[in-house]
Amino acid sequence: MQTYRHAVAGDTVTVHVPQTREDFTRFSSWLARANRRGPVALDTETSGLDIYSPGYRLRTVQFGDERDAWVIHWERGPAFQSAARAALRRVDRFQIHNAPFDWAVLDEHAGAPLEVLAPRTTDTRLKAGLLDPRQPQEGGIGTGLKPLSAHYVDPSAPDTQGDLTQIFRSLGLTTATGWAGIPLDHPTYNLYAGLDVILTARLDPILTRELDRLGVRPELVQYEHEIARICTHMQRAGMVVDESYVQELRANLTYEEQHYADVARRYGVENVNSTRTLAEALVGMGERLTERTGSGALKVDKAVLSALADLSLQGERLNGRTPNPLAEAVIRSKRAGKWRASYADTFLEVMDAGGRCHPFVHSMAARTGRMSVTRPALQTLPSSDQMIRRALLADPGHVMISCDFSAVEMRVLAALADVRRMREGFLAGEDIHWFTARLVRGAGATESDRKVMKGAGFSKVYGGGVRTAARQTGASEEAMARAFAEYDRLYPEIKRASRRWQREAYESGMVFVSATGRRLPLDRDRTYAVVNYACQSVARDCLGQALLNIEEAGLLDMLKLPIHDEALLSAPREDAADAARAVEKAMTFDLYGVPITAEAEIGGRSWGSLYGADY
DNA sequence: GTTTTCACG
DNA sequence: ACGTACGTGAAAACG
């Protein structure tokens, strides 16, 4: 047996790497004792992140407690694998840091189903996120195992991932190839594989104590674990990629990118993505660039370029000036290039052997608890037309269903701030922006009145000011200032709630506690953001509740993606109408007397069918 | 690594 | 004292 010793928080800990039959007997008796004492920490090392790609390898499975870790070399063959499998079956409670990753890996490569692992798991990353959801660059501890261990367990805890990156380099490997290529026997690799579970085992009780001390309800912790499981379920199911469509799409986008890059080259711009050379070329053509970026450089983003090209942001001709041909070529080349690289290429890159992509669905990504989707980032596909979404399909024989909450953040604001007249509007089933416009401007309120009031409403939810609201809606600052005043008179509870929430946060160390018990740290220099945090985080919890309700309704296997205020599902064509009704029901409930409602739309086979063409 | 840009709710 | 649009992920350029 290979063993390694290391100091953690003043204790000597041991990492065991079993090789022989006797070693496995010792592992087995250790596991039986550990399992009787309490939860067992679990982790995996793998060849990388593309869990479902051909050639992906599970390399080691680690088990541990506060003093001992056992690194099982899964990659070495059947004897090692059956020991790991038996251990996975035997343990009653697991502690995992970032469980969704290991759940997915073990489900796909070790025959340990998500359905078995997840209910037995407590995730230290989720717990840490409920204590402080900020990223390190936002001033938080972060939710990585290294920063959390350094903060809560031992300031000298090694940076197991960062140090290994150095070792990869010394072996002639990169961050991308290192996890697959490092020899299984490498001492540091094994030591760190073991330390990760030991640190997780030590972290978990500390985080539990902290959650208790700060009054975070165990129900909220449990709720987050259920949502994480549902998100991993969605990842495992994945979405069908229409490969031949993507190939064709890629060719078309590449052609457009090249063609307009050639046009730009005629005006001396060799690289359309180089903002500095582009700004110089435009100035050289006699254009006046006035807007600056944060660091003082001349701004040449889509808004600036569209104005020069005499185009609206949607690409329609404005007929306000002579179009600048360079600006137009750059817009088109950059757009095609981005759509190719960010979407078409990634779809093909992450596809499994069966033609599906399996995005990571991070159940608690943003400071407000909002979810995010990566590899590929399916929450941010262009929605202006169906071109990109057309590449993703419902399951065979299925159609896509999208169900959106209706104006959920406005409803949440009405509920949380207890806005009397706004609640009346929602209870009467009104479109809230028309409702506001009529209350303020009378029965003759116009479309333009509604637009201004909608802008004012959004500003309340975002904590924005008159100037930005005017810019966003295209209204004059005077008109917007009047709308703000009318809004405040009509719904005075919003300002009162904002002041109350800021005061509450101030009194508890700049942490606002949401209606669902989520701890939301505020930045000292923009406490006004508390209104947005309150609304965005509770809207997120409405979506979380919807996911639980959808599972309860028996539709878990149809779920594809959460998109902030929307659930995307794939349902058998003949059941689609029933499924759509059931999802609407799952997304309809009461929030402090304000109705939260949702509307489903049934599409065709492709996601794109919900955005235009009927396919 | 940081900056800039652009895609979404 | 006053006013402040919120939250993400990803690619490419640049130093």
Side-chain angles (χ1 to χ4, degrees):
Chain A
M1 175 125 59
Q2 193 66 251
T3 56
Y4 303 92
R5 292 191 197 282
H6 201 269
V8 175
D11 299 326
T12 300
V13 303
T14 311
V15 175
H16 312 257
V17 186
Q19 325 262 342
T20 66
R21 190 186 295 268
E22 293 80 65
D23 294 347
F24 280 115
T25 309
R26 288 175 59 194
F27 168 55
S28 179
S29 40
W30 170 85
L31 189 75
R33 279 197 312 275
N35 189 43
R36 274 196 299 275
R37 273 197 302 268
V40 173
L42 172 67
D43 190 23
T44 61
E45 301 300 330
T46 69
S47 58
L49 293 175
D50 295 316
I51 302 171
Y52 301 86
S53 291
Y56 186 81
R57 278 155 37 232
L58 170 56
R59 305 202 65 194
T60 77
V61 183
Q62 306 99 267
F63 300 85
D65 63 12
E66 298 190 348
R67 285 181 180 273
D68 292 277
W70 295 76
V71 181
I72 312 298
H73 285 178
W74 179 274
E75 205 174 47
R76 259 194 232 292
F80 294 79
Q81 296 176 7
S82 61
R85 273 206 205 87
L88 288 170
R89 276 195 302 269
R90 186 143 137 207
V91 171
D92 298 311
R93 293 293 309 167
F94 291 111
Q95 297 155 318
I96 310 180
H97 189 74
N98 191 20
F101 181 79
D102 300 283
W103 289 341
V105 166
L106 293 167
D107 179 287
E108 182 70 12
H109 298 280
L114 168 65
E115 287 77 359
V116 172
L117 286 179
R120 299 191 206 170
T121 300
T122 153
D123 185 341
T124 43
R125 190 167 190 260
L126 281 183
K127 287 184 176 174
L130 289 171
L131 287 169
D132 183 347
R134 291 172 299 178
Q135 311 282 336
Q137 60 267 31
E138 295 176 311
I141 302 166
T143 51
L145 184 57
K146 152 70 188 167
L148 289 171
S149 303
H151 186 265
Y152 288 112
V153 178
D154 180 351
S156 67
D159 183 358
T160 53
Q161 307 240 321
D163 292 359
L164 278 174
T165 312
Q166 298 295 313
I167 288 168
F168 294 162
R169 244 195 293 279
S170 73
L171 295 171
L173 300 164
T174 65
T175 8
T177 60
W179 297 104
I182 188 167
L184 199 55
D185 285 323
H186 194 287
T188 316
Y189 183 64
N190 284 279
L191 170 65
Y192 284 180
L195 285 180
D196 279 352
V197 278
I198 291 172
L199 291 170
T200 302
R202 285 173 177 250
L203 203 47
D204 185 49
I206 299 173
L207 296 175
T208 304
R209 263 204 308 282
E210 279 295 286
L211 288 165
D212 185 50
R213 185 178 70 82
L214 293 167
V216 179
R217 294 165 15 251
E219 292 80 6
L220 179 62
V221 181
Q222 184 56 36
Y223 165 83
E224 285 307 332
H225 280 78
E226 301 299 338
I227 290 172
R229 173 182 51 78
I230 292 175
C231 288
T232 307
H233 198 101
M234 288 189 255
Q235 176 186 27
R236 180 177 66 182
M239 275 176 96
V240 177
V241 178
D242 187 338
E243 192 179 351
S244 60
Y245 176 79
V246 178
Q247 297 288 6
E248 187 190 324
L249 172 66
R250 215 167 150 220
N252 293 341
L253 288 171
T254 305
Y255 174 81
E256 187 171 347
E257 181 184 3
Q258 286 306 318
H259 175 76
Y260 286 104
D262 290 343
V263 175
R265 209 165 289 123
R266 292 207 284 275
Y267 295 91
V269 173
E270 286 298 320
N271 184 344
V272 294
N273 286 309
S274 171
T275 48
R276 210 184 63 204
T277 50
L278 173 58
E280 281 166 11
L282 288 168
V283 170
M285 291 170 87
E287 297 289 359
R288 287 172 51 86
L289 299 178
T290 51
E291 286 192 70
R292 303 254 169 195
T293 67
S295 67
L298 288 172
K299 195 166 199 171
V300 282
D301 65 6
K302 201 165 96 173
V304 172
L305 294 177
S306 296
L308 299 181
D310 189 47
L311 295 169
S312 75
L313 281 173
Q314 288 72 40
E316 297 127 352
R317 184 63 62 202
L318 294 171
N319 292 315
R321 58 159 283 171
T322 312
N324 181 307
L326 171 60
E328 187 165 356
V330 169
I331 292 171
R332 301 187 71 143
S333 177
K334 276 178 76 172
R335 191 178 102 134
K338 182 188 160 78
W339 287 20
R340 177 192 52 74
S342 299
Y343 309 125
D345 286 353
T346 348
F347 291 164
L348 297 177
E349 217 173 278
V350 302
M351 231 170 50
D352 71 9
R356 281 175 182 264
C357 66
H358 300 266
F360 286 92
V361 183
H362 308 279
S363 61
M364 228 175 62
R367 189 192 295 212
T368 52
R370 263 196 176 187
M371 302 173 198
S372 79
V373 175
T374 60
R375 300 169 73 94
L378 296 187
Q379 282 178 327
T380 61
L381 304 189
S383 57
S384 54
D385 62 47
Q386 52 104 45
M387 189 191 291
I388 301 295
R389 293 181 198 235
R390 164 69 184 76
L392 296 162
L393 305 180
D395 291 337
H398 285 213
V399 293
M400 287 291 192
I401 298 176
S402 156
C403 190
D404 285 47
F405 283 129
S406 315
V408 66
E409 289 194 355
M410 292 302 299
R411 288 171 193 260
V412 169
L413 176 62
L416 297 180
D418 197 11
V419 187
R420 184 177 62 88
R421 303 199 74 176
M422 207 184 264
R423 172 188 284 127
E424 287 168 5
F426 284 125
L427 282 169
E430 297 262 359
D431 168 303
I432 197 60
H433 306 306
W434 271 126
F435 179 78
T436 308
R438 289 206 194 90
L439 280 182
V440 171
R441 304 276 161 91
T446 63
E447 191 70 56
S448 145
D449 292 326
R450 179 184 183 273
K451 198 166 126 189
V452 171
M453 285 307 162
K454 185 178 174 183
F458 264 63
S459 295
K460 296 302 163 197
V461 171
Y462 287 138
V466 169
R467 182 143 11 110
T468 1
R471 204 171 344 114
Q472 287 295 319
T473 54
S476 71
E477 288 193 28
E478 295 71 43
M480 194 49 81
R482 200 169 64 241
F484 267 53
E486 290 162 339
Y487 216 92
D488 291 340
R489 234 191 343 269
L490 189 59
Y491 304 130
E493 297 94 333
I494 301 175
K495 254 206 173 100
R496 288 205 289 268
S498 173
R499 279 196 280 264
R500 184 174 76 243
W501 293 337
Q502 290 183 65
R503 194 188 62 233
E504 284 171 14
Y506 199 85
E507 286 165 0
S508 44
M510 295 313 281
V511 174
F512 171 72
V513 179
S514 83
T516 54
R518 210 173 274 291
R519 298 172 53 78
L520 305 170
L522 283 188
D523 298 331
R524 213 162 270 285
D525 52 346
R526 36 182 220 120
T527 54
Y528 64 91
V530 76
V531 177
N532 184 257
Y533 290 1
C535 296
Q536 198 183 97
S537 69
V538 169
R540 181 280 186 190
D541 291 326
C542 289
L543 182 65
Q545 188 58 52
L547 297 180
L548 297 179
N549 295 348
I550 286 169
E551 179 180 33
E552 191 63 33
L555 305 179
L556 177 59
D557 288 332
M558 296 184 191
L559 261 178
K560 290 292 155 192
L561 285 177
I563 314 176
H564 309 309
D565 66 345
E566 170 190 357
L568 185 73
L569 297 93
S570 150
R573 191 177 291 273
E574 61 278 13
D575 303 337
D578 288 344
R581 261 195 306 276
V583 178
E584 281 181 345
K585 192 169 163 227
M587 295 179 71
T588 300
F589 40 81
D590 173 276
L591 184 71
Y592 303 119
V594 175
I596 303 292
T597 63
E599 267 181 78
E601 207 182 331
I602 301 172
R605 177 83 201 271
S606 92
W607 191 3
S609 64
L610 290 161
Y611 294 80
D614 183 22
Y615 177 83

